[in-house]
Amino acid sequence: QVQLIASGGGLVQAGGSLRLSCAASGRTFNSYQMAWFRQAPGKERELVASIIGTGRTEYVDSVRGRFTVSRDSAESTVYLQMNSLKAEDTAVYSCAARIDPFDIYKYWGPGTQVTVSS
């Protein structure tokens, strides 16, 4: 069982920055593929960024170049650094984990609200 606790959301003006953190339990953190999802009101949840144990990252086109996902194995934590925030980034952000890269993301943490004012 993997438990995830996300933090770092808040209200920020457009153009500003926020960093989200997601602390994971478990002894095999490096084997987890970690991801950040977001869901805006009235929209479907979308995968924003993911990172695997080797450090390889992937991003949705709308955030590439502005967001950076990283992981600290010593702290069993994954981060999402969000820069140049836009109003359309407003959403509830959730972190998720999976062990099998061909499986769905099975483990989810509670979401954290990010609101970007224009």
Side-chain angles (χ1 to χ4, degrees):
Q1 186 73 13
V2 179
Q3 292 185 328
L4 305 172
I5 300 176
S7 61
L11 173 64
V12 64
Q13 289 188 335
S17 299
L18 280 175
R19 188 177 80 157
L20 305 182
S21 302
C22 178
S25 66
R27 300 181 180 179
T28 58
F29 176 73
N30 284 342
S31 68
Y32 306 159
Q33 180 172 3
M34 303 294 296
W36 287 96
F37 288 78
R38 68 184 179 187
Q39 187 166 21
K43 295 187 177 181
E44 293 189 356
R45 185 171 61 194
E46 69 170 344
L47 175 60
V48 176
S50 64
I51 184 168
I52 64 175
T54 61
R56 190 183 74 182
T57 58
E58 293 184 353
Y59 300 91
V60 67
D61 287 346
S62 60
V63 308
R64 188 173 291 112
R66 300 188 297 121
F67 290 12
T68 302
V69 60
S70 61
R71 61 195 296 158
D72 183 334
S73 297
E75 298 293 330
S76 296
T77 299
V78 63
Y79 302 97
L80 185 67
Q81 177 67 43
M82 305 184 293
N83 299 329
S84 302
L85 282 161
K86 304 175 182 180
E88 50 263 43
D89 295 319
T90 295
V92 174
Y93 286 71
S94 302
C95 62
R98 63 185 179 188
I99 298 174
D100 182 346
F102 299 102
D103 201 356
I104 61 171
Y105 284 93
K106 286 186 175 180
Y107 308 103
W108 292 83
T112 184
Q113 177 71 45
V114 171
T115 303
V116 184
S117 62
S118 56

